[in-house]
Amino acid sequence: MAFFTQTDQGFEPLSFAGGQWAAQSVNGSALAGLAAQALESEHGEPGFSVARFTLDIFRLPAFAPLQAETTLVRSGRSMRIADVILRQGDRVAARASMVTTRSAGNPDGTRWQPDSEPMLMPEQFATGSAMPAVLWGSDAHPDGWSESMSEHQNASRKRLWFNQPQLLTDVDNTPFVRAAMLGEMTNTLTSWGDQGIAFINHDVTVVLARMPIGTTIGIEADNHLSADGVAAGASTMWDSAGRFGISVVSALALSTGSLDVVSRPHNWEKGSRTAEPAPR
């Protein structure tokens, strides 16, 4: 199960890459993973770690092959910066940048951190799961976690654990690709209330203290602010060892009204999906 397969035309989306916001579109998580994969494969260097990833989404990509063009912006002794453009023919769908820094030891001293309970991995993931799967969570859900996204449409804090599918067929996701795909889901959690998901994000920025451990990683909403149809959301990303990164998004109110996930279940509801390109 994967988001894309690579062909002579570029990266062909498979059915799991389908978007919820519009018919025959590619979802943002798949787009973020594709941008991260292109940047890392072309401009990742030994001894450097990804510190920041920013994706700007210009338009919802059609369900058609995407092409990636990368550029090295800066190559220094302690920092490297690279950009990527994701195209569909002559139309630019998104752009992204990656900042990598040379690894160094952590300084001495104690610094303030939020005092909050850890987001513990549910037992069914902690014992290992070979298949892609997602567990949705919210404070108002009587059991805390479930496989059904629609059960968590409420006004409480949201979270999830995700054993992700592969980005590309027959290629294991790198830790950076996993983090980029997960971070893009921040808007889903922070803009989702009791009437559905009310805002659509046009960007995401992921900042990483370290790379995630393992194939199952989680994300928890931290904040949501909105005024006059503009929203900002923030989340913390988790793995089995604790927090590893922060993701923030900016978003705009949906002109068509909230995306009601009760009447329109998410692509990641419980159940399998095929690994074939969807018809166009």
Side-chain angles (χ1 to χ4, degrees):
M1 190 178 293
F3 285 119
F4 297 97
T5 187
Q6 193 164 7
T7 69
D8 292 341
Q9 286 72 46
F11 298 95
E12 177 88 12
L14 304 176
S15 61
F16 210 81
Q20 287 292 103
W21 302 110
Q24 295 299 294
S25 64
V26 173
N27 70 62
S29 186
L31 200 64
L34 188 60
Q37 187 274 337
L39 288 166
E40 185 177 35
S41 62
E42 294 290 333
H43 302 290
E45 286 288 335
F48 284 76
S49 298
V50 179
R52 178 176 61 78
F53 168 77
T54 296
L55 173 72
D56 293 308
I57 303 172
F58 296 166
R59 56 175 54 87
L60 285 175
F63 208 92
L66 285 143
Q67 301 82 43
E69 301 172 3
T70 69
T71 304
L72 182 62
V73 177
R74 182 181 187 274
S75 179
R77 291 196 304 172
S78 60
M79 179 181 293
R80 291 172 61 87
I81 302 173
D83 291 347
V84 64
I85 295 291
L86 297 180
R87 298 180 176 276
Q88 291 184 314
D90 59 355
R91 288 169 61 86
V92 176
R95 68 179 180 187
S97 65
M98 176 183 73
V99 177
T100 62
T101 57
R102 188 175 292 279
S103 302
N106 217 36
D108 294 334
T110 301
R111 287 154 290 277
W112 177 88
Q113 289 183 316
D115 184 15
S116 60
E117 292 294 321
M119 192 174 84
L120 300 177
M121 187 179 294
E123 184 176 353
Q124 66 189 80
F125 279 155
T127 56
S129 174
M131 290 296 293
V134 60
L135 276 183
W136 301 91
S138 62
D139 288 349
H141 191 278
D143 299 319
W145 299 99
S146 74
E147 293 176 302
S148 174
M149 182 183 183
S150 58
E151 292 180 7
H152 298 273
Q153 184 151 294
N154 54 57
S156 71
R157 188 180 188 182
K158 309 294 196 302
R159 55 189 65 86
L160 65 83
W161 285 98
F162 199 6
N163 185 10
Q164 297 168 330
Q166 294 171 313
L167 176 73
L168 304 177
T169 53
D170 302 321
V171 179
D172 289 337
N173 296 341
T174 67
F176 173 44
V177 167
R178 290 198 296 271
M181 292 197 299
L182 185 75
E184 202 282 331
M185 298 180 74
T186 292
N187 183 69
T188 297
L189 301 186
T190 60
S191 291
W192 184 17
D194 55 5
Q195 300 299 309
I197 303 172
F199 297 83
I200 182 169
N201 62 300
H202 49 81
D203 67 18
V204 60
T205 294
V206 175
V207 288
L208 299 169
R210 59 173 175 83
M211 288 294 112
I213 299 167
T215 59
T216 299
I217 51 180
I219 188 168
E220 184 174 38
D222 283 334
N223 206 346
H224 169 84
L225 303 171
S226 61
D228 298 325
V230 178
S235 65
T236 296
M237 295 186 288
W238 296 81
D239 61 15
S240 58
R243 301 175 180 90
F244 67 86
I246 297 168
S247 179
V248 296
V249 296
S250 53
L252 298 174
L254 285 164
S255 59
T256 55
S258 297
L259 176 62
D260 185 347
V261 301
V262 174
S263 61
R264 293 177 58 187
H266 195 279
N267 289 346
W268 294 319
E269 284 276 11
K270 182 178 180 180
S272 62
R273 306 190 69 198
T274 64
E276 298 297 325
R280 296 194 295 276

